[in-house]
Amino acid sequence: MSRRYDSKTTTFSQEGRLYQVEYALEAINNANLTVGLLCDSGVILAADKPISTKLLDTGKINEKLYKLDSHMFCAVAGLTADATVLINMCKLYAQRHRYTYGEAQNVEEHVVQICDLKQSYTQFGGLRPFGVSFLFAGWDRNLGFQLYHTDPSGNYSGWKATAIGHNSQQAQSLLRQEWKEGLTVDEALHLAVKVLTKSMDSTVPKADKLEVGILWKGTSGTMDPMVEMISESKVADILANVAAQSTTKGSEAPHTL
Amino acid sequence: MSRRYDSKTTTFSQEGRLYQVEYALEAINNANLTVGLLCDSGVILAADKPISTKLLDTGKINEKLYKLDSHMFCAVAGLTADATVLINMCKLYAQRHRYTYGEAQNVEEHVVQICDLKQSYTQFGGLRPFGVSFLFAGWDRNLGFQLYHTDPSGNYSGWKATAIGHNSQQAQSLLRQEWKEGLTVDEALHLAVKVLTKSMDSTVPKADKLEVGILWKGTSGTMDPMVEMISESKVADILANVAAQSTTKGSEAPHTL
Amino acid sequence: MSRRYDSKTTTFSQEGRLYQVEYALEAINNANLTVGLLCDSGVILAADKPISTKLLDTGKINEKLYKLDSHMFCAVAGLTADATVLINMCKLYAQRHRYTYGEAQNVEEHVVQICDLKQSYTQFGGLRPFGVSFLFAGWDRNLGFQLYHTDPSGNYSGWKATAIGHNSQQAQSLLRQEWKEGLTVDEALHLAVKVLTKSMDSTVPKADKLEVGILWKGTSGTMDPMVEMISESKVADILANVAAQSTTKGSEAPHTL
Amino acid sequence: MSRRYDSKTTTFSQEGRLYQVEYALEAINNANLTVGLLCDSGVILAADKPISTKLLDTGKINEKLYKLDSHMFCAVAGLTADATVLINMCKLYAQRHRYTYGEAQNVEEHVVQICDLKQSYTQFGGLRPFGVSFLFAGWDRNLGFQLYHTDPSGNYSGWKATAIGHNSQQAQSLLRQEWKEGLTVDEALHLAVKVLTKSMDSTVPKADKLEVGILWKGTSGTMDPMVEMISESKVADILANVAAQSTTKGSEAPHTL
Amino acid sequence: MSRRYDSKTTTFSQEGRLYQVEYALEAINNANLTVGLLCDSGVILAADKPISTKLLDTGKINEKLYKLDSHMFCAVAGLTADATVLINMCKLYAQRHRYTYGEAQNVEEHVVQICDLKQSYTQFGGLRPFGVSFLFAGWDRNLGFQLYHTDPSGNYSGWKATAIGHNSQQAQSLLRQEWKEGLTVDEALHLAVKVLTKSMDSTVPKADKLEVGILWKGTSGTMDPMVEMISESKVADILANVAAQSTTKGSEAPHTL
Amino acid sequence: MSRRYDSKTTTFSQEGRLYQVEYALEAINNANLTVGLLCDSGVILAADKPISTKLLDTGKINEKLYKLDSHMFCAVAGLTADATVLINMCKLYAQRHRYTYGEAQNVEEHVVQICDLKQSYTQFGGLRPFGVSFLFAGWDRNLGFQLYHTDPSGNYSGWKATAIGHNSQQAQSLLRQEWKEGLTVDEALHLAVKVLTKSMDSTVPKADKLEVGILWKGTSGTMDPMVEMISESKVADILANVAAQSTTKGSEAPHTL
Amino acid sequence: MSRRYDSKTTTFSQEGRLYQVEYALEAINNANLTVGLLCDSGVILAADKPISTKLLDTGKINEKLYKLDSHMFCAVAGLTADATVLINMCKLYAQRHRYTYGEAQNVEEHVVQICDLKQSYTQFGGLRPFGVSFLFAGWDRNLGFQLYHTDPSGNYSGWKATAIGHNSQQAQSLLRQEWKEGLTVDEALHLAVKVLTKSMDSTVPKADKLEVGILWKGTSGTMDPMVEMISESKVADILANVAAQSTTKGSEAPHTL
């Protein structure tokens, strides 16, 4: 029925839709779940890693989280090779800004730059959209901690907490129930892991199946927030905590970082 | 029936129509309602924001209104990513004019520049039209306060009051009934909000669902008009006022800004 | 039947026709009626404006007539956005000629330049023809007052009086009956308005529905002819005069400008 | 049947034909008749003008004959806008040759240049052939008076007398009967007009329906031949003469120029 | 059956054939017959000219034979406009070689250059092959007198005697019977004309229907061979001779040049 | 069913898949089996060579393993000609890095560069993906010995042991059973050959059918690891050893290098 | 069945095949047989020439063997015009290497360069593969005498003896039976001619139907091997020898060069 319109990014359907962009979104709905949320003094991104076997060398590359600059990192969902290309562009944009102006790039400015690139792939002939969505976590002097979502169309939006990928709707509804303003870092980490484990298809995952990162000032209190990857043992602690709570729902005693 | 002609911007149909441009207009008819109107000493743009959830970080980005220069701002309807690209071009054109000539760009000249860009995407192969309509509000020394509407074909027209997006026909008919020359700023704000609330599908919206901006000299009387976003509390006041009036239709006592 | 040949400007049909150019002409046949005629000391263009509502800000932009240089103006019929692009080119060509040679461009030379541009859009792949016809009114030292018609194919022709747009055939037949050499400016204005009102679908139009311009030396007798837009009140006078005459067909007393 | 091959200039049919070039020739067969012939001291081109109405301003532009340089002029048949583009190129080639070498371009060299341009439009993708045939009349020191015919394929050939356009076959057969070496200028003018009037669909045409030009040394005997357009009154004389003869077939007394 | 593969030069058929190149060859099989042969002290090219009428000005352009340089000339068969383009390139290559190296270009080197150009039109998208075959006759210090045949694919081959165009197979079989090493110039001219007349569809042709050229040192014995076109009276002599012999087959007394 | 989407890299299917990339993977599944694994002090790549006949000159070119730099080598599976192009790029990237920075390129950086190139061939029109997968074996100061797998989409991943090509799934399952951390070089060579022989369709292969390479410090202990190809006699020893073990499964006595 | 995938080089079929490349191979299977083989002190290429008639001037161009440099020559099979283009590139690469580095290019390096060019024509849109296979015979200081085979995909492989073209499978099987290491030059020439004559469709060919070349030091023992074409009389001797042997199979007394 919609056959005539759906094979090019340069063709609107009769209802004003761009089917190629919508099909690219399908690639993202099949990707692993990723959660992002703001807390009182940081931004957290947590992701479910792709199925790993004993032989995959997971120690060397972060599968889902990428550091872009000292004040920004991101999580990706979709076609990995497309993501690698865009992440290279992100790093380039951030470094070029630092080099030209001598200071870190504003987070939204950065997001707009990468979204304009994405948009151009939906309007010119002989191209396909990037099959990638991002969650950008960043901090700048103007707007503090920020969390953005971008999709293959080049749209972006600011969030307090959101999720992308497989079962993201279930995760978003959990976040709507449990996220509130002013969460401490520990509470937020606990919530991120909880949402991931409850929304994944598998039963309780192991710590090496999750990847968690945070942008904060840390315990030592640095000048500006820094990106920090949470260690596997720490993730295991949180997982245990989440598991404990889900049995004894009353007590909510988050562990200390 | 019209199948042969409707997949390219470079093909006229037998009746001399460009179907791709018409389909791009469909994308706009599905966008949220936006209203623009002139008053005695300013121009007002008011928009219905997309559905927002608790977790959307609305404090950081204006969803529908964009400031382009000190003397111009605009409202958009259609594909957001396309709009972002065009708004960047708007800002560039405005700044480039200031830099080259040392003065603000005439509003119509600005509108023509952006419309020429839009038109080119309807005539060359391998492209699709921009799926975006704008309401431009501006002021210049020659023509004073101005309100323009542009569409994906690159057409533009000057209006005293108009509306774009979902249910825009209903809003336009309301404006034809109630708009008159010489409205004060307060009366105009009242009318803009009234038209929005009456034309939206939802029942009475909350203040955070509306976004209202004005280009005027303000209460302090600056040299040249400036763009000012109406605060959420102010919008709430107007909303209450509109609600009151719709019960007691007789008294029309606009509140003071 | 003609299916194979009609979707590209780069394909002749079996009978040697270019269907895309013919379809572009359809866009013009749907446009509002425009009339042009020569008189003893000037050229007149008169147009029926698109349907205007109370809220359209007609004071700011001329809908159908555009001044190109001090010695040339034009009327357009067809796709407005395409026209805007071509009118910009016209102004550029005229100014560039003035700048390079220090004198006004010959009218036919100007028309040929814009027609060559139009023609190129009918011969190269990945383009569509401009969906616009023009009436050019101009004056130069060689050929005096001139009136040209151009169409989407890039063809042009010189006329003493002609009409384009909706019902143009009816208007042309009226002109053939009533136009004669040596009309005074007042007689010509009267004739232009009469042809417009008799050929429009609506009943007697109001003055703000018509747009009339003239290229002449004016009453003060300038050195070279200048473009002058006829004021709305003047148009109203002529309309009244035309209405009076159509009842009392005998007396033909044109009013003075 | 020939469907697969006929929509591109870049595709040979199974029989080695280029259908697009053949279809372009159709555009020429529908054009008005044009006749060219050599006489003892000149070359004559005579054309049937398109239907003209009272309002067409024929005084300003030559419809079918174009002067290219002092020693060359041409007649066109086919798409007028395509012809205008090619005639501009002709003038450019001729002037560029004069400027570079300080002398008039050889006629055949000129014809080859324009034919190479035409040929390129039959071999490269995304283009269509020029829908125009020319009769070139010229003189140079090497070959004297010359008459060439070119067609949309880029072919050219030298003739003593030939015709193109509607009913050209009938005109050519008349020329074969009546043209002979050593015609005087008056005899040749008489023959050209006779062939035109006998081959046109209409009955006896008026003088303003014909356009006749000659390249000769004139009566005053200039150094080099010059292009001269025959005045309408002269054409009327010849027409009368032709009409007289066709009644009294015996006497063949050509009038003097 | 072969439908899928035959409309582009960039597509091999299932059997590894390029149909567009084969179809271009069809254009050549419909061209007039041309014969080339080597003799003891020269190379001869002889061609059947296209049907000429009384009015065709054959005195001015050689229809089928073109001189390329003092030591090379060629005969063409196929699309004339394509041939004109390639012959211009030939002249350019030959002159450029003379200019750069101060000596005549080797014949085979010249043929390879033009064949590489032809080949490129069979391998790149958006182009069609040149619909032209050539017989190149040339002389250089290395290889003496040479005769080459090229076709639309860009293939070339050296021959002692060959024919191209309509009925070329019949002509080739005649040449195989009658050509032998060491023919004198007169014998060779006699043979060329004989082969032409016997292979043409028409009965005995007149001298103005044939075009014959020779590259030789002439009777005066110049330093290097030169191209010489055989005069129409000489051709008539040979024709008479051929006619005489075909009646009295015994005596073979070639006339002197 | 999926017909509409599967012929271009620039078209997503309705489920968000890129069929051309998936079809390119098929080319790899038909390629010969290749195995890669890490051991305690090196990386090993081992490949099954294509069917060789007596006349193939195998002594001169390595069929499946290519040295890229002193610290990197790779194995390829898929279209050989595509691989040659990419391997040239690899060598260029590695040398350019050495030249610019005066030190060896990081292995992952190298892999990302080549993967970005691969990705671009899946997103732009008029191209097809490279039909090649690689196993990269490398060493750098940061991450030590590394083994990467890349595929036609431009994805890459780090592994401790993996296999690509025909029957790669069987080989991977064998590796999951038998590979463990801390294998010595001899044990690893033994395992690589064992996995190859057990997964190949043929019965026990000869030594010249296998190609084995290792990146290690060697027995002499060089400063940095070097690439070393295992000699045919050594491979024969390992093959014998593997054959012996498979009969007497108890004793696992790896031979010394 | 495979219809959708087989008309472009930029489209993989569902099984990961490139049909256009496979169809190009068909063009080669129809070409004349060519044989190449290594002997103890040289490389031999021998080819069956295309059908030659008495009139073909075979003395001037080598039909199937081309000398590329003093240390390399090649035999071609497939489309001749494509081959000519590639051979020009070969000569250019070889000369450019000599000019830049002052020494002969390594044979494999040369083969890779030409294969990369071939590969690019299988991956980019708007092109077709080169329909040519080569046998390259060369010598360099590193690897001595070498024989390579390349095909339209850009693949290449080193051989001790191989054959391409029509009936190449039969020839390869003969070579597998009779070729052995350490053949003398005379034995190798004898074998090459024998394989050709036994695999050709025709009965015993004449010497002028075969073309044989060798790269060796010759009898005089030059410094480096040189390319030498075997004279027709020598080929006749070998042919006689082969014919003699096939009757008296016992005695194998190769003649001396």
Side-chain angles (χ1 to χ4, degrees), chain C residues 4-5 8-16 18 38 108 112 116 119 122-125 143 145-146 148 153-161 172 175-177 179, chain D residues 2-4 6-9 20 22-24 26-27 30 53-61 63 66 79-82 84-85 88 121 126-131:
Chain C
R4 292 182 272 154
Y5 306 115
K8 285 187 193 162
T9 58
T10 56
T11 306
F12 278 105
S13 80
Q14 214 153 357
E15 319 91 75
L18 295 170
L38 293 174
E108 190 179 351
V112 168
D116 283 357
Q119 189 274 346
T122 73
Q123 195 170 22
F124 299 103
L143 296 175
F145 290 104
Q146 298 158 64
Y148 293 97
S153 71
N155 281 350
Y156 72 96
S157 44
W159 293 85
K160 289 166 181 163
Q172 282 167 343
L175 285 168
R176 266 194 297 274
Q177 288 165 31
W179 186 88
Chain D
S2 63
R3 188 158 183 171
R4 292 180 274 154
D6 64 355
S7 64
K8 285 186 193 162
T9 58
Q20 273 299 302
E22 298 184 12
Y23 294 170
E26 286 303 312
N30 300 327
T53 71
K54 178 187 142 197
L55 297 177
L56 201 65
D57 196 354
T58 53
K60 273 159 198 152
I61 46 171
E63 291 285 329
Y66 296 84
L79 303 187
T80 316
D82 285 20
T84 313
V85 169
N88 285 351
Y121 280 73
L127 298 170
R128 61 169 175 79
F130 281 99

Side-chain angles (χ1 to χ4, degrees), chain F residues 211-233:
Chain F
E211 196 175 350
V212 185
I214 183 166
L215 176 75
W216 70 332
K217 294 207 177 183
T219 48
S220 57
T222 56
M223 283 286 287
D224 287 343
M226 304 287 280
V227 177
E228 185 185 328
M229 293 296 154
I230 305 296
S231 69
E232 204 174 302
S233 63

Side-chain angles (χ1 to χ4, degrees), chain D residues 79-147:
Chain D
L79 303 187
T80 316
D82 285 20
T84 313
V85 169
L86 285 173
I87 285 163
N88 285 351
M89 293 307 295
C90 286
K91 290 175 179 167
L92 180 67
Y93 291 153
Q95 287 310 308
R96 197 186 280 159
H97 192 278
R98 269 192 194 279
Y99 181 83
T100 312
Y101 303 105
E103 58 175 24
Q105 194 175 23
N106 278 1
V107 184
E108 189 179 352
E109 183 189 326
H110 182 80
V111 171
V112 168
Q113 256 188 318
I114 215 72
C115 280
D116 283 357
L117 185 67
K118 277 183 167 184
Q119 189 273 346
S120 68
Y121 280 73
T122 72
Q123 194 169 23
F124 299 102
L127 298 170
R128 61 169 175 79
F130 281 99
V132 188
S133 281
F134 284 97
L135 290 185
F136 282 98
W139 177 91
D140 59 46
R141 284 173 204 282
N142 300 328
L143 296 175
F145 291 104
Q146 297 158 64
L147 175 67

Side-chain angles (χ1 to χ4, degrees), chain B residues 9-10 12 16-18 21 112 115-124 151-156, chain C residues 24-25 27-28 66 74 76-90 114 117-118 121 127-134 152:
Chain B
T9 58
T10 56
F12 277 105
R17 292 161 65 188
L18 295 170
V21 173
V112 167
C115 280
D116 283 356
L117 185 66
K118 277 182 166 183
Q119 190 275 345
S120 68
Y121 280 74
T122 73
Q123 196 169 21
F124 300 102
D151 71 22
S153 71
N155 282 350
Y156 72 95
Chain C
L25 279 165
I28 288 148
Y66 296 84
C74 72
V76 304
L79 303 187
T80 317
D82 285 20
T84 312
V85 170
L86 285 173
I87 286 163
N88 284 351
M89 292 308 293
C90 286
I114 216 73
L117 185 67
K118 277 182 167 185
Y121 280 74
L127 298 172
R128 62 168 174 80
F130 281 100
V132 188
S133 281
F134 285 96

Side-chain angles (χ1 to χ4, degrees), chain B residues 10-245:
Chain B
T10 56
T11 307
F12 277 105
S13 80
Q14 214 153 357
E15 320 91 74
R17 292 161 65 188
L18 295 170
Y19 281 107
Q20 272 300 303
V21 173
E22 297 184 13
Y23 294 170
L25 279 164
E26 286 302 313
I28 289 148
N29 289 337
N30 300 327
N32 286 38
L33 185 64
T34 303
V35 166
L37 46 84
L38 293 174
C39 60
D40 62 353
S41 56
V43 208
I44 289 162
L45 296 178
D48 167 28
K49 289 196 214 172
I51 294 146
S52 79
T53 70
K54 178 186 142 198
L55 298 177
L56 201 65
D57 195 352
T58 54
K60 271 159 199 152
I61 46 171
N62 288 320
E63 292 283 330
K64 302 273 291 184
L65 303 187
Y66 296 85
K67 190 177 166 186
L68 304 176
D69 197 347
S70 63
H71 67 302
M72 287 192 296
F73 75 125
C74 72
V76 304
L79 303 187
T80 317
D82 285 19
T84 312
V85 169
L86 285 173
I87 286 164
N88 284 352
M89 292 309 293
C90 286
K91 289 175 179 167
L92 180 68
Y93 291 152
Q95 286 310 309
R96 197 187 280 159
H97 191 279
R98 267 191 194 279
Y99 182 82
T100 311
Y101 302 105
E103 58 176 24
Q105 193 175 24
N106 277 1
V107 184
E108 190 178 351
E109 183 189 324
H110 182 81
V111 170
V112 167
Q113 257 187 317
I114 216 72
C115 280
D116 283 356
L117 185 66
K118 277 182 166 183
Q119 190 275 345
S120 68
Y121 280 74
T122 73
Q123 196 169 21
F124 300 102
L127 299 171
R128 61 166 176 82
F130 281 99
V132 188
S133 282
F134 285 97
L135 291 184
F136 281 99
W139 176 92
D140 60 44
R141 284 174 204 283
N142 299 330
L143 296 175
F145 291 105
Q146 298 158 63
L147 175 67
Y148 294 97
H149 168 234
T150 76
D151 71 22
S153 71
N155 282 350
Y156 72 95
S157 44
W159 292 85
K160 288 166 182 162
T162 193
I164 54 176
H166 195 55
N167 290 341
S168 58
Q169 296 214 328
Q170 194 177 334
Q172 282 167 344
S173 106
L174 255 171
L175 285 168
R176 266 194 297 275
Q177 288 165 31
E178 306 218 357
W179 186 87
K180 52 181 174 288
E181 293 278 356
L183 286 178
T184 64
V185 165
D186 285 347
E187 284 166 348
L189 282 171
H190 184 88
L191 178 56
V193 168
K194 185 177 168 185
V195 168
L196 269 187
T197 54
K198 295 231 164 168
S199 307
M200 281 157 64
D201 290 334
S202 57
T203 55
V204 189
K206 293 201 183 151
D208 65 353
K209 188 81 179 60
L210 301 187
E211 195 175 350
V212 185
I214 183 166
L215 175 76
W216 70 332
K217 293 208 177 182
T219 48
S220 57
T222 56
M223 285 285 286
D224 288 342
M226 303 287 281
V227 177
E228 185 185 327
M229 293 296 155
I230 307 296
S231 71
E232 202 173 306
S233 63
K234 189 103 234 157
V235 173
D237 287 356
I238 307 176
L239 265 176
N241 208 321
V242 168
Q245 274 194 344

Side-chain angles (χ1 to χ4, degrees), chain C residues 1-2 8 22 37 50 76 102 121 143 146-147 150 152 161 173 179-180 183 185-186 190 208 219 221 224-225 239 242:
Chain C
M1 218 156 79
S2 63
K8 285 187 193 162
E22 298 184 13
L37 45 84
V76 304
Y121 280 74
L143 296 175
Q146 298 158 64
L147 175 67
T150 76
S173 106
W179 186 88
K180 52 181 174 288
L183 286 179
V185 165
D186 284 347
H190 183 87
D208 64 352
T219 48
D224 288 341
L239 265 176
V242 168

